[in-house]
Amino acid sequence: MEFAVESGLKTMGSGEGIRRNQALICAPLMADTVDQMVDLMHKAKSKGADIVEIRLDHLKIFNPRSDIEIMIKVCPLPTLFTYRPIWEGGQYAGDEKSRFEALQLAMELGADHIDIELKAAHEFNNFLHGNKPGKCKVIISSHNYASTPPIEDLGNLVARIQAAGADIIKFATTALDITDVARVFQITVHSQVPIIAMVMGERGLMSRILCPKFGGYLTFGSLEAGQVSAPGQPTIEELVNLYNFRLLEPDTKVFGIIGNPVSHSKSPKLYNEAFKSVGFNGVYLHLLVDDVPKFFRTYSSMDFTGFSVTIPHKEAALACCDEVDPVAKSIGAVNCVVRRPDGKLFGCNTDYVGAISSIEDGLLGLQNGSTGTGSPLARKLFVVIGAGGAGKALAYGAKEKGARVLIANRTYDRARELADLVGGQALSLAELDNFRPEKGMILANTTSIGMHPKVNETPISKEALANYMLVFDAVYTPKITRLLREAAESGAQIVTGVDMFIGQAYEQYERFTGLPAPKEQFKKIMEN
């Protein structure tokens, strides 16, 4: 694959440090008045945008000549004027002649770019009579709010946009599945003309972040979370500071967390900050995946190097691996998949290491660090809530440390199945409230009960917690779940999902990068 990206490094202004690509970050500006628009321009510059898209269709009062002139004159960044009609997802409901006149004015008054829709391009060209100011680049755009068409249709669309006289091609489609993005990357990387290509929605997020890797002209970043001009848009701050957008290059390796839901995950923060601090050329993304085998089949190149796997895909991911670590095989779930240099997928499980070691640390804290020999878990009754991938990992890990294991699950049959695997007991979750055979038990919740946004849920009543000496919750958003809060109030030692999360991330980082895990840095990042 050939990528037209400037080699070498370029230093940015405004304290942005090194820049390894030419891809621009464009801030879409939507405001009711010109004064508000001007405020937003300065805000965009301070946040690190390279260019602003001025959405004329959002202005409530608009006097084309004076307003456009003011905005171009005072804008501290290059400009892109868009006057989007309702029929293409915008706000403008007037006649085409007035719209064309405003865009023509913008071109004459010194706009750097204007955007015209493919459906109106022929008419607009006729309106201009070939009088196009040399400085202004014309973006011809097409938006599909329903789906992402097959590759042939996308190729034909790009050819039509180019034939309509585009200086820059722009198309946006909608992701029904994360694999839709691959087709858009294929088009982008082979385009002979500057191209802006995005896939809207959360499943399309990767298209926006990896724009520099695949040779896109620009990506859009909103000024604030939630204030987006299209679904799935990240903020400028996320692009620059979370995903290290300025550092991405054609040979940047792609890592990510595969899950559903996945947007709550703190993993990108952890890995991207660590990558940046050691100069490792990688980026780590949220990957909202519905169909795991399809995802691995689609993203099979060496560009896509390593994946963390979370709920509900840990068992499905194991089946996609060419080789699986023996421990992960016994657990029946992987949470880490690495693509080897020969392209084969290797899967392992770092969950149980992270969880069990943080639970052992918690118990050592209770016993002031003195356990004699062996694990502080030995002979303890270890109650696991949940029989999915994480439940299996903890049950297996506790068993290995000499604990007696009990599995409680909403469906008793799943609990029984896992209990038989590890030689333990089984209960339905409903029975757990009245299960009090002894004091000093250990409880580990591996389900998503209590996870944001359902923070008021808990898998077990507060009364039942009195018999546990230590309670662990794999949920880490929020850090202190209702289960942990009530456990602490009942006198139990608590271990958070953050402790497990950091523990399991050490080994993944080392497998991804071949470098030692920055343990202190990981702890610091998660504290913040």
Side-chain angles (χ1 to χ4, degrees), residues 260-444:
N260 187 358
V262 79
S263 62
H264 64 280
S265 172
K266 302 285 189 288
S267 295
K269 176 108 184 94
L270 205 62
Y271 291 100
N272 287 327
E273 222 169 282
F275 289 169
K276 187 178 180 177
S277 68
V278 295
F280 179 79
N281 188 8
V283 63
Y284 188 105
L285 312 173
H286 292 104
L287 303 169
L288 179 59
V289 172
D290 301 287
D291 180 331
V292 177
K294 188 178 176 187
F295 174 84
F296 282 123
R297 279 197 308 274
T298 305
Y299 297 104
S300 59
S301 78
M302 292 308 297
D303 286 313
F304 295 86
T305 312
F307 308 94
S308 310
V309 186
T310 188
I311 296 170
H313 295 321
K314 297 182 185 195
E315 285 138 314
L318 182 141
C320 299
C321 293
D322 301 293
E323 192 193 327
V324 178
D325 170 81
V327 176
K329 200 170 273 180
S330 334
I331 293 168
V334 298
N335 74 321
C336 178
V337 177
V338 179
R339 194 180 305 284
R340 297 210 152 135
D342 62 1
K344 294 234 160 58
L345 294 175
F346 168 77
C348 61
N349 195 309
T350 70
D351 269 340
Y352 82 104
V353 182
I356 295 294
S357 58
S358 53
I359 290 168
E360 285 182 322
D361 290 347
L363 288 172
L364 289 174
L366 282 177
Q367 295 159 4
N368 299 323
S370 60
T371 61
T373 55
S375 166
L377 283 172
R379 295 177 301 285
K380 297 264 192 306
L381 185 55
F382 194 101
V383 178
V384 178
I385 300 176
K392 281 183 180 170
L394 260 86
Y396 185 92
K399 178 75 183 166
E400 208 181 34
K401 297 289 188 176
R404 295 169 291 133
V405 178
L406 180 134
I407 311 297
N409 194 54
R410 273 186 179 145
T411 49
Y412 174 77
D413 290 347
R414 291 267 330 249
R416 180 71 273 157
E417 211 176 296
L418 176 53
D420 288 346
L421 271 179
V422 297
Q425 298 170 261
L427 286 180
S428 73
L429 188 53
E431 293 172 291
L432 194 57
D433 277 351
N434 298 316
F435 176 76
R436 301 169 192 186
E438 60 189 75
K439 292 270 190 204
M441 299 184 287
I442 289 155
L443 182 69

Side-chain angles (χ1 to χ4, degrees), residues 449-508:
I449 299 170
M451 185 164 98
H452 181 82
K454 297 180 179 173
V455 294
N456 293 320
E457 293 184 2
T458 181
I460 182 174
S461 71
K462 187 174 179 180
E463 295 71 50
L465 291 170
N467 295 287
Y468 294 92
M469 69 188 297
L470 182 143
V471 175
F472 161 79
D473 198 338
V475 170
Y476 67 85
T477 47
K479 181 176 177 178
I480 302 297
T481 55
R482 180 180 164 189
L483 171 66
L484 291 181
R485 189 178 71 245
E486 292 183 346
E489 287 164 3
S490 306
Q493 174 82 347
I494 62 171
V495 175
T496 71
V498 173
D499 300 320
M500 166 191 173
F501 173 72
I502 294 172
Q504 60 82 33
Y506 292 156
E507 192 181 330
Q508 289 202 38

Side-chain angles (χ1 to χ4, degrees), residues 34 59 61-71 105:
V34 170
L59 289 169
I61 307 157
F62 179 42
N63 304 308
R65 180 162 288 278
S66 57
D67 291 350
I68 290 173
E69 195 164 4
I70 287 168
M71 288 190 282
L105 252 176

